[in-house]
Amino acid sequence: MIIRGMKTLIEGGWVVAHNGTSHEVYERGSLVIEDDRVVHAGGPYAGPVDARISARGKLVSPGFINTHVHTAGGGGDYLLLDMAKDDYRTANYMSFAAPLKGRMAPPPPEATAALRAYVFLHALKNGTTTVIDVGGLRGDWDGYARLVEDLGVRVYASPAFRDRDTYMDAQGRLTYEEDAAVGRQRLQEAVDFVHKYDGTAQGRLRGMLNAAQVETCSEPLLRAGKDAARELGVPIHTHAGGNLVEFQRIMEEYRRTPIQFLADIGFLDERTLLGHAVFTTAHPWPRYPFGDDLRLLAQTGATVGHCPYKYAKMAMTLHSLPRYLAAGVNVALGTDTYPLDMVAELRWASILAKVTDANYQAATPRDVFNAATLGGAKFIDRHDLGRLAPGAKADVLLINLDQLGAPIYADPIKALVDGASGRDVDTVIVDGRVLVQGGRATRVDEDAVYASARQATEHYWYQVPGWRWDGATVDRIIPPAFPLHRAR
Ligand SMILES: [Zn+2]
C-alpha cells in the first residue's frame, strides 16, 4: 500500500518508462513515486525508500487517458446496441437521445449520483486514470465535484451545451428544434462550472468545454464555445463525423463536411478533441471523396477521439487508424459506451485497422499504446500525464500478465494488446493514491455502487415506453438472444 508522504518503490515488473521522446520498457524495472509524483522510472533504483511493492509478473504502465466517457450510466448504451442497425434515422445516440418531446424525465438526484459513481469506478477498474467526460447527466454539480474528490479519479469536465435539442415526432421522425437562448444559457452554465471547479479535488478536477454535437450546435454557438474555451484556457470537445445523419445535415446546411466546416469556423486547433471523426472524406460510406479531411485535422492539430469497439458494434470504423496517423493526425482512444475497458480498446483499435487496411502490419501495439497515453495527453496539454518519467504525475496501472489465462509472451506490450482486458488490471494509482488494489476499489463498497447503478438503470428502462414514439419496451427494441423469462 502506498502511503502519501512516503517514497515507494514498485519493483520487479515490466516498467514502461518515458525517455522524453518515447516509451521504453524495462524488464525487472523500478518505478519510484513520492506523494503525487514519479521520481524515478526505468532501471534499478539505488536510493533509500520507505516502502516497496512487488510488481513481478505485472506491467507497470502509465494510466490510460480515456477521451470519451459519458457520465450517464449505461442505460442508453444498451438501447444503442441493436437499435442502431434497423432504423437509419435513429442510428447511433439518437436511439435514446430523441424521445417524444417533453416526455423523458431526468432521473432523481440519488440515481444521478449512483450512475456517476458507477461510471467513474468502472472506468478506473478497467485502466482509465484520466476521464474526459464529454457529457453526462445534468445537475448537482457540487455532488459531481464531491464524487471526484471522494473517488480519487482525475477528470476533465463541464456540462455539455447545445441549442438544438433532438426529438421524435409521433411517427418516429427525427426533429431538431433550435433555441439560441437556451444554448447561450447552457454555455454560461459550463463556463460557470469551469470557474467554480477547475483545479478542485487537489487539482484532479479540471475544466473543459463540451459542445454536444456538431449538428446540435448552431454555428454562432460553436464559435462562442470555442471563444469561451480560449478565454478560459481550457480544451474543448465536440462529437463530429460520428454518424451519417449528422454528416448529411452538415453537408446540407453548410455544403461542407463536418471537418471542413469546423476547420473553416476556427473551431479546430491543438486544444480541440473531436469524438469519433469516423465519417470524413476518407471514409467510403458518405461517398464524398472531395477535399482532404485528414490533412485538415493534421494541419489544425486537432485530436481524434477514436472509440473502436463502440463503432465496431455498429459495423463501422475509421478508414483507417494508420491513414490518420500517416497523415499526421493526433489520435487518442476512448470507450464511449460499455464496457469502458481501455485495455480491450487497444486490441480493438489494432485489429480493426488491420482488417480495414487488409494489412497485418498496420496499427502496431506501439501505435495503439501511444494513442491511449500520449495521444490523450497532447489534447489536454499535459506533459505530466500518459507517461512515467521523473516529474510526471503518479498515475499508474499494475496489470497482471503472468497468469494461466494469459499468453506466454516475450514483449509485455504485445501481450497487453493481444491478450489482456480491463479485468487484468490489478492496481490503479492516481495522484499517488491507490484507488484499486487486487482488482477491487479501495475507497468504496463497489458491490453497493453496482447495485445502486443497476437499480437506477432498470428504473430508466421501465420508463422507455413512456417516451418512445412507438411505445416499445426495451425487450421489444432489443429482443433478447433467447426467449428470456424474467423473474418479475
Ligand atoms: Zn459520445
PDB file of all heavy atoms in Angstrom, residues 16 41 53 56 94 129 142 167 194 279 300 324 353 363 365 368 384 410 419 436 467 473:
ATOM      1  N   VAL A  16       7.083   0.566 -17.963  1.00  0.00           N
ATOM      2  CA  VAL A  16       7.013   1.384 -19.181  1.00  0.00           C
ATOM      3  C   VAL A  16       7.437   2.801 -18.788  1.00  0.00           C
ATOM      4  O   VAL A  16       6.668   3.545 -18.189  1.00  0.00           O
ATOM      5  CB  VAL A  16       5.588   1.408 -19.765  1.00  0.00           C
ATOM      6  CG1 VAL A  16       5.573   2.183 -21.084  1.00  0.00           C
ATOM      7  CG2 VAL A  16       5.047  -0.002 -19.946  1.00  0.00           C
ATOM      8  N   ALA A  41      11.824   6.307 -13.033  1.00  0.00           N
ATOM      9  CA  ALA A  41      11.156   5.276 -13.841  1.00  0.00           C
ATOM     10  C   ALA A  41      12.186   4.659 -14.764  1.00  0.00           C
ATOM     11  O   ALA A  41      12.834   5.375 -15.519  1.00  0.00           O
ATOM     12  CB  ALA A  41      10.005   5.879 -14.650  1.00  0.00           C
ATOM     13  N   ILE A  53       6.787  -2.284  -3.206  1.00  0.00           N
ATOM     14  CA  ILE A  53       5.665  -3.085  -3.715  1.00  0.00           C
ATOM     15  C   ILE A  53       6.222  -3.976  -4.818  1.00  0.00           C
ATOM     16  O   ILE A  53       6.923  -3.493  -5.712  1.00  0.00           O
ATOM     17  CB  ILE A  53       4.560  -2.180  -4.305  1.00  0.00           C
ATOM     18  CG1 ILE A  53       3.895  -1.358  -3.203  1.00  0.00           C
ATOM     19  CG2 ILE A  53       3.519  -3.004  -5.051  1.00  0.00           C
ATOM     20  CD1 ILE A  53       2.866  -0.370  -3.729  1.00  0.00           C
ATOM     21  N   ARG A  56       6.100  -8.146  -9.713  1.00  0.00           N
ATOM     22  CA  ARG A  56       6.541  -9.305 -10.508  1.00  0.00           C
ATOM     23  C   ARG A  56       5.383  -9.852 -11.333  1.00  0.00           C
ATOM     24  O   ARG A  56       4.289 -10.047 -10.824  1.00  0.00           O
ATOM     25  CB  ARG A  56       7.062 -10.406  -9.588  1.00  0.00           C
ATOM     26  CG  ARG A  56       8.517 -10.246  -9.212  1.00  0.00           C
ATOM     27  CD  ARG A  56       8.929 -11.370  -8.275  1.00  0.00           C
ATOM     28  NE  ARG A  56       8.905 -12.655  -8.974  1.00  0.00           N
ATOM     29  CZ  ARG A  56       9.995 -13.261  -9.441  1.00  0.00           C
ATOM     30  NH1 ARG A  56      11.183 -12.682  -9.296  1.00  0.00           N
ATOM     31  NH2 ARG A  56       9.908 -14.419 -10.048  1.00  0.00           N
ATOM     32  N   MET A  94     -29.084   8.767 -31.280  1.00  0.00           N
ATOM     33  CA  MET A  94     -30.463   9.241 -31.402  1.00  0.00           C
ATOM     34  C   MET A  94     -31.452   8.189 -30.915  1.00  0.00           C
ATOM     35  O   MET A  94     -32.600   8.505 -30.616  1.00  0.00           O
ATOM     36  CB  MET A  94     -30.797   9.630 -32.841  1.00  0.00           C
ATOM     37  CG  MET A  94     -30.557  11.088 -33.135  1.00  0.00           C
ATOM     38  SD  MET A  94     -28.837  11.450 -33.473  1.00  0.00           S
ATOM     39  CE  MET A  94     -28.723  11.009 -35.206  1.00  0.00           C
ATOM     40  N   THR A 129      -7.227   6.284 -15.873  1.00  0.00           N
ATOM     41  CA  THR A 129      -6.906   7.135 -14.709  1.00  0.00           C
ATOM     42  C   THR A 129      -7.350   8.575 -14.951  1.00  0.00           C
ATOM     43  O   THR A 129      -7.604   9.297 -14.000  1.00  0.00           O
ATOM     44  CB  THR A 129      -5.401   7.104 -14.379  1.00  0.00           C
ATOM     45  OG1 THR A 129      -4.662   7.435 -15.556  1.00  0.00           O
ATOM     46  CG2 THR A 129      -4.981   5.737 -13.869  1.00  0.00           C
ATOM     47  N   ASP A 142     -22.178  20.351  -7.487  1.00  0.00           N
ATOM     48  CA  ASP A 142     -21.427  20.178  -6.233  1.00  0.00           C
ATOM     49  C   ASP A 142     -21.256  18.696  -5.922  1.00  0.00           C
ATOM     50  O   ASP A 142     -20.191  18.252  -5.492  1.00  0.00           O
ATOM     51  CB  ASP A 142     -22.160  20.864  -5.067  1.00  0.00           C
ATOM     52  CG  ASP A 142     -21.951  22.377  -5.076  1.00  0.00           C
ATOM     53  OD1 ASP A 142     -20.929  22.829  -5.629  1.00  0.00           O
ATOM     54  OD2 ASP A 142     -22.815  23.098  -4.537  1.00  0.00           O
ATOM     55  N   TYR A 167     -35.723  15.505 -30.972  1.00  0.00           N
ATOM     56  CA  TYR A 167     -36.970  14.843 -30.571  1.00  0.00           C
ATOM     57  C   TYR A 167     -37.423  13.924 -31.687  1.00  0.00           C
ATOM     58  O   TYR A 167     -37.009  14.076 -32.827  1.00  0.00           O
ATOM     59  CB  TYR A 167     -38.085  15.874 -30.345  1.00  0.00           C
ATOM     60  CG  TYR A 167     -37.762  16.907 -29.305  1.00  0.00           C
ATOM     61  CD1 TYR A 167     -37.478  18.220 -29.675  1.00  0.00           C
ATOM     62  CD2 TYR A 167     -37.735  16.554 -27.963  1.00  0.00           C
ATOM     63  CE1 TYR A 167     -37.179  19.171 -28.718  1.00  0.00           C
ATOM     64  CE2 TYR A 167     -37.435  17.498 -26.997  1.00  0.00           C
ATOM     65  CZ  TYR A 167     -37.148  18.807 -27.382  1.00  0.00           C
ATOM     66  OH  TYR A 167     -36.844  19.731 -26.440  1.00  0.00           O
ATOM     67  N   VAL A 194     -16.595  25.717 -14.977  1.00  0.00           N
ATOM     68  CA  VAL A 194     -15.129  25.779 -15.059  1.00  0.00           C
ATOM     69  C   VAL A 194     -14.592  26.773 -14.030  1.00  0.00           C
ATOM     70  O   VAL A 194     -13.619  26.485 -13.313  1.00  0.00           O
ATOM     71  CB  VAL A 194     -14.673  26.156 -16.486  1.00  0.00           C
ATOM     72  CG1 VAL A 194     -13.163  26.358 -16.530  1.00  0.00           C
ATOM     73  CG2 VAL A 194     -15.104  25.080 -17.486  1.00  0.00           C
ATOM     74  N   PHE A 279     -16.672   9.600 -40.016  1.00  0.00           N
ATOM     75  CA  PHE A 279     -17.164   9.936 -41.357  1.00  0.00           C
ATOM     76  C   PHE A 279     -16.487  11.210 -41.848  1.00  0.00           C
ATOM     77  O   PHE A 279     -16.849  12.324 -41.479  1.00  0.00           O
ATOM     78  CB  PHE A 279     -18.689  10.023 -41.358  1.00  0.00           C
ATOM     79  CG  PHE A 279     -19.301   8.681 -41.101  1.00  0.00           C
ATOM     80  CD1 PHE A 279     -20.039   8.435 -39.964  1.00  0.00           C
ATOM     81  CD2 PHE A 279     -19.067   7.639 -41.995  1.00  0.00           C
ATOM     82  CE1 PHE A 279     -20.559   7.172 -39.728  1.00  0.00           C
ATOM     83  CE2 PHE A 279     -19.579   6.368 -41.756  1.00  0.00           C
ATOM     84  CZ  PHE A 279     -20.332   6.137 -40.616  1.00  0.00           C
ATOM     85  N   THR A 300      -4.499  21.468 -38.418  1.00  0.00           N
ATOM     86  CA  THR A 300      -5.015  22.245 -37.289  1.00  0.00           C
ATOM     87  C   THR A 300      -4.510  21.727 -35.951  1.00  0.00           C
ATOM     88  O   THR A 300      -4.572  22.427 -34.947  1.00  0.00           O
ATOM     89  CB  THR A 300      -6.556  22.191 -37.261  1.00  0.00           C
ATOM     90  OG1 THR A 300      -6.962  20.819 -37.204  1.00  0.00           O
ATOM     91  CG2 THR A 300      -7.151  22.857 -38.485  1.00  0.00           C
ATOM     92  N   TYR A 324      -4.849   7.860 -40.677  1.00  0.00           N
ATOM     93  CA  TYR A 324      -4.895   9.072 -39.858  1.00  0.00           C
ATOM     94  C   TYR A 324      -3.490   9.380 -39.323  1.00  0.00           C
ATOM     95  O   TYR A 324      -3.042  10.530 -39.365  1.00  0.00           O
ATOM     96  CB  TYR A 324      -5.867   8.907 -38.681  1.00  0.00           C
ATOM     97  CG  TYR A 324      -7.338   9.067 -39.022  1.00  0.00           C
ATOM     98  CD1 TYR A 324      -7.928   8.335 -40.051  1.00  0.00           C
ATOM     99  CD2 TYR A 324      -8.144   9.935 -38.294  1.00  0.00           C
ATOM    100  CE1 TYR A 324      -9.289   8.468 -40.344  1.00  0.00           C
ATOM    101  CE2 TYR A 324      -9.507  10.073 -38.573  1.00  0.00           C
ATOM    102  CZ  TYR A 324     -10.070   9.339 -39.598  1.00  0.00           C
ATOM    103  OH  TYR A 324     -11.402   9.476 -39.877  1.00  0.00           O
ATOM    104  N   ALA A 353      -8.003  -1.897 -37.498  1.00  0.00           N
ATOM    105  CA  ALA A 353      -7.180  -1.228 -38.504  1.00  0.00           C
ATOM    106  C   ALA A 353      -6.554  -2.243 -39.452  1.00  0.00           C
ATOM    107  O   ALA A 353      -6.464  -2.013 -40.664  1.00  0.00           O
ATOM    108  CB  ALA A 353      -6.088  -0.407 -37.822  1.00  0.00           C
ATOM    109  N   ALA A 363      -1.300  -0.581 -37.600  1.00  0.00           N
ATOM    110  CA  ALA A 363      -1.713  -0.318 -36.217  1.00  0.00           C
ATOM    111  C   ALA A 363      -1.015  -1.245 -35.231  1.00  0.00           C
ATOM    112  O   ALA A 363      -1.602  -2.146 -34.639  1.00  0.00           O
ATOM    113  CB  ALA A 363      -3.227  -0.415 -36.075  1.00  0.00           C
ATOM    114  N   PRO A 365       1.135  -2.504 -31.828  1.00  0.00           N
ATOM    115  CA  PRO A 365       0.941  -2.270 -30.388  1.00  0.00           C
ATOM    116  C   PRO A 365       1.517  -0.918 -29.955  1.00  0.00           C
ATOM    117  O   PRO A 365       0.943  -0.242 -29.102  1.00  0.00           O
ATOM    118  CB  PRO A 365       1.697  -3.444 -29.750  1.00  0.00           C
ATOM    119  CG  PRO A 365       1.586  -4.535 -30.759  1.00  0.00           C
ATOM    120  CD  PRO A 365       1.688  -3.841 -32.105  1.00  0.00           C
ATOM    121  N   VAL A 368      -1.081   1.916 -30.846  1.00  0.00           N
ATOM    122  CA  VAL A 368      -2.302   1.998 -30.035  1.00  0.00           C
ATOM    123  C   VAL A 368      -1.980   2.327 -28.576  1.00  0.00           C
ATOM    124  O   VAL A 368      -2.750   3.029 -27.911  1.00  0.00           O
ATOM    125  CB  VAL A 368      -3.182   0.728 -30.177  1.00  0.00           C
ATOM    126  CG1 VAL A 368      -3.670   0.590 -31.618  1.00  0.00           C
ATOM    127  CG2 VAL A 368      -2.463  -0.531 -29.726  1.00  0.00           C
ATOM    128  N   ASP A 384       2.748  15.825 -18.062  1.00  0.00           N
ATOM    129  CA  ASP A 384       2.972  15.023 -16.855  1.00  0.00           C
ATOM    130  C   ASP A 384       1.967  13.878 -16.742  1.00  0.00           C
ATOM    131  O   ASP A 384       1.870  13.243 -15.707  1.00  0.00           O
ATOM    132  CB  ASP A 384       2.907  15.919 -15.602  1.00  0.00           C
ATOM    133  CG  ASP A 384       1.561  16.627 -15.460  1.00  0.00           C
ATOM    134  OD1 ASP A 384       0.760  16.615 -16.422  1.00  0.00           O
ATOM    135  OD2 ASP A 384       1.310  17.192 -14.374  1.00  0.00           O
ATOM    136  N   ALA A 410       6.948 -12.626 -24.975  1.00  0.00           N
ATOM    137  CA  ALA A 410       8.311 -12.098 -24.916  1.00  0.00           C
ATOM    138  C   ALA A 410       8.274 -10.591 -24.729  1.00  0.00           C
ATOM    139  O   ALA A 410       9.137 -10.024 -24.075  1.00  0.00           O
ATOM    140  CB  ALA A 410       9.070 -12.462 -26.191  1.00  0.00           C
ATOM    141  N   GLY A 419      -3.669  -9.889 -25.630  1.00  0.00           N
ATOM    142  CA  GLY A 419      -4.323 -10.867 -24.766  1.00  0.00           C
ATOM    143  C   GLY A 419      -5.008 -10.356 -23.516  1.00  0.00           C
ATOM    144  O   GLY A 419      -5.727 -11.115 -22.872  1.00  0.00           O
ATOM    145  N   VAL A 436      -7.481   1.272  -6.622  1.00  0.00           N
ATOM    146  CA  VAL A 436      -7.875  -0.114  -6.866  1.00  0.00           C
ATOM    147  C   VAL A 436      -6.685  -0.981  -6.476  1.00  0.00           C
ATOM    148  O   VAL A 436      -5.558  -0.680  -6.866  1.00  0.00           O
ATOM    149  CB  VAL A 436      -8.235  -0.358  -8.357  1.00  0.00           C
ATOM    150  CG1 VAL A 436      -8.528  -1.827  -8.615  1.00  0.00           C
ATOM    151  CG2 VAL A 436      -9.420   0.505  -8.788  1.00  0.00           C
ATOM    152  N   TRP A 467     -41.644   7.344 -23.240  1.00  0.00           N
ATOM    153  CA  TRP A 467     -41.108   8.426 -24.083  1.00  0.00           C
ATOM    154  C   TRP A 467     -40.788   8.002 -25.516  1.00  0.00           C
ATOM    155  O   TRP A 467     -40.534   8.843 -26.369  1.00  0.00           O
ATOM    156  CB  TRP A 467     -39.885   9.098 -23.435  1.00  0.00           C
ATOM    157  CG  TRP A 467     -38.718   8.215 -23.073  1.00  0.00           C
ATOM    158  CD1 TRP A 467     -38.362   7.805 -21.818  1.00  0.00           C
ATOM    159  CD2 TRP A 467     -37.719   7.661 -23.953  1.00  0.00           C
ATOM    160  NE1 TRP A 467     -37.236   7.025 -21.858  1.00  0.00           N
ATOM    161  CE2 TRP A 467     -36.811   6.925 -23.156  1.00  0.00           C
ATOM    162  CE3 TRP A 467     -37.514   7.720 -25.335  1.00  0.00           C
ATOM    163  CZ2 TRP A 467     -35.722   6.241 -23.679  1.00  0.00           C
ATOM    164  CZ3 TRP A 467     -36.411   7.038 -25.875  1.00  0.00           C
ATOM    165  CH2 TRP A 467     -35.541   6.316 -25.036  1.00  0.00           C
ATOM    166  N   THR A 473     -41.194  -1.423 -25.529  1.00  0.00           N
ATOM    167  CA  THR A 473     -40.400  -1.749 -24.342  1.00  0.00           C
ATOM    168  C   THR A 473     -38.963  -2.049 -24.760  1.00  0.00           C
ATOM    169  O   THR A 473     -38.680  -2.294 -25.939  1.00  0.00           O
ATOM    170  CB  THR A 473     -40.951  -3.013 -23.649  1.00  0.00           C
ATOM    171  OG1 THR A 473     -40.838  -4.097 -24.587  1.00  0.00           O
ATOM    172  CG2 THR A 473     -42.402  -2.837 -23.235  1.00  0.00           C
TER     173      THR A 473
END
